[in-house]
Structure formats: structure tokens, C-alpha cells
Amino acid sequence: MALKHAVLAALLDGEYSGYRLAKAFDVGVANFWHALPQQLYAELTRLEAEGLVAGRQVVQETRPNKRLFHVTDEGLAELERFAAAASRPSFIRDDLLVKVQAVDRIDAAPVIAQLTERARMAAAKVDIFEQLLARLRGGLDEAEFLAHGARVGPYLTCLRGLGFERETRDWCERITGVLRERSGTPQHP
């Protein structure tokens, strides 16, 4: 997958400025695709040059002018081609797992500290995803939203992000407990 496909998919909800697109990436898209704001701005310029998005200038009186972008018919056709192509299997590439792999031969204390911090960060993301999912449902229960919601794709990707963060939190907490018990470190420092 290229960044262009993530940007095109994010723009399906309507017109976004580069700033609003970066915020959308931070909240929903970042759980499956990371991009810095400057990468997004550069990608919008490329996509516009390729005719996959169109931009329009919005004049603002009290702030600098901004450009709003939306997906063109060509951009939607590109997403169709992308969706029809076979996906590659996903994989994990995580330096913390390398540290856990080596924990029998190194000092476990820094690894335990990093696992604890990773669990804390994952727990915070779980809260964010739960709030986002509730907002996307707009008062509907999940079953009703999944059956009749207007745009279910962002919800489904957030469900994946929620599951990932829960599993990360739970795994880190479990492994922290194992390592503390093996090293005789108190469970709650």
C-alpha cells in the first residue's frame, strides 16, 4: 500500500484541508498507517498533479487562505484498482520484541520499564478508540450501526485499532508480570 491510497480513503468523507487531513490521520488512520503532516501535504500535491484529487482555494479574511481537497472520479477508480489487488500479509516489526527475545541474557529492568510504558500508552489509545467509536455510532448501538450506518469503513478500521491496542496492553501487562516474577522484582514498583 502506498500513502496515496490511505490519503484517498481518508478523503472519502468529503473535502479536507491538509491540516484537517493530518488530524484525521492522527485520530483514525494512524492505527493502520502512520504519516507525518509534511508527508501528507506533499502527497496531496502529488495526488492533485496526478488528477486523483482536486483542490480549491478558500479565501479566509482573518486567517491565511487554505486549500480543500476531494477525491476525483480518477481517484475513486484508483481506490477500486487498489481494493481489487491482492493484499500482502501483515507482519510485526517491533524493537521491543527484540528486547524481550533477549531478556534472558540482559538486564530485565529497562525492558520491564518499557513494557510498562507501552501498556500505559496502549491503554490510553484504547480509551481514545472507545470514544471515537461511540462518536462514529452517533447514538446507535454497535449492531444497528454496523447494519445501517452511513459509512462503516472508518468504524471497522477503528475496531481493528481498538483490538490491537487492547491486545498490546494485555500482552505487555502479562509479560511485565512474568519478568518481574522471574527476577523477584515487586509487581507494583
Side-chain angles (χ1 to χ4, degrees), residues 86-142:
S87 294
R88 291 181 285 200
S90 60
F91 61 90
I92 299 173
R93 187 174 180 174
D94 186 341
D95 65 339
L96 185 53
L97 290 174
V98 174
K99 296 170 185 181
V100 171
Q101 174 78 16
V103 78
D104 294 311
R105 305 292 173 132
I106 62 173
D107 181 10
V111 178
I112 291 170
Q114 291 172 54
L115 286 163
T116 301
E117 177 61 14
R118 178 79 58 91
R120 187 197 63 73
M121 290 177 4
K125 289 180 181 180
V126 165
D127 291 341
I128 290 168
F129 277 119
E130 287 173 343
Q131 293 170 18
L132 178 59
L133 289 166
R135 190 170 67 237
L136 289 172
R137 285 192 308 270
L140 300 175
D141 69 24
E142 185 169 87

Side-chain angles (χ1 to χ4, degrees), residues 57-70:
Q57 187 83 1
V58 175
V59 177
Q60 302 185 107
E61 291 183 24
T62 60
R63 289 186 270 170
N65 296 341
K66 64 180 177 181
R67 290 186 52 78
L68 295 178
F69 297 90
H70 67 274

Side-chain angles (χ1 to χ4, degrees), residues 7-69:
V7 170
L8 289 170
L11 287 173
L12 290 175
D13 288 322
E15 286 188 313
Y16 278 23
S17 65
Y19 175 80
R20 187 166 169 221
L21 179 65
K23 291 298 176 195
F25 259 71
D26 275 350
V27 173
V29 179
N31 79 80
F32 61 90
W33 193 269
H34 176 74
L36 299 172
Q38 54 268 40
Q39 291 173 299
L40 295 172
Y41 288 109
E43 191 63 31
L44 283 170
T45 300
R46 279 190 289 278
L47 292 172
E48 188 172 30
E50 292 176 26
L52 302 178
V53 301
R56 67 181 178 92
Q57 187 83 1
V58 175
V59 177
Q60 302 185 107
E61 291 183 24
T62 60
R63 289 186 270 170
N65 296 341
K66 64 180 177 181
R67 290 186 52 78
L68 295 178
F69 297 90

Side-chain angles (χ1 to χ4, degrees), residues 13 31 133 136 151-159:
D13 288 322
N31 79 80
L133 289 166
L136 289 172
R151 186 127 146 64
V152 73
Y155 191 87
L156 296 174
T157 59
C158 285
L159 278 178

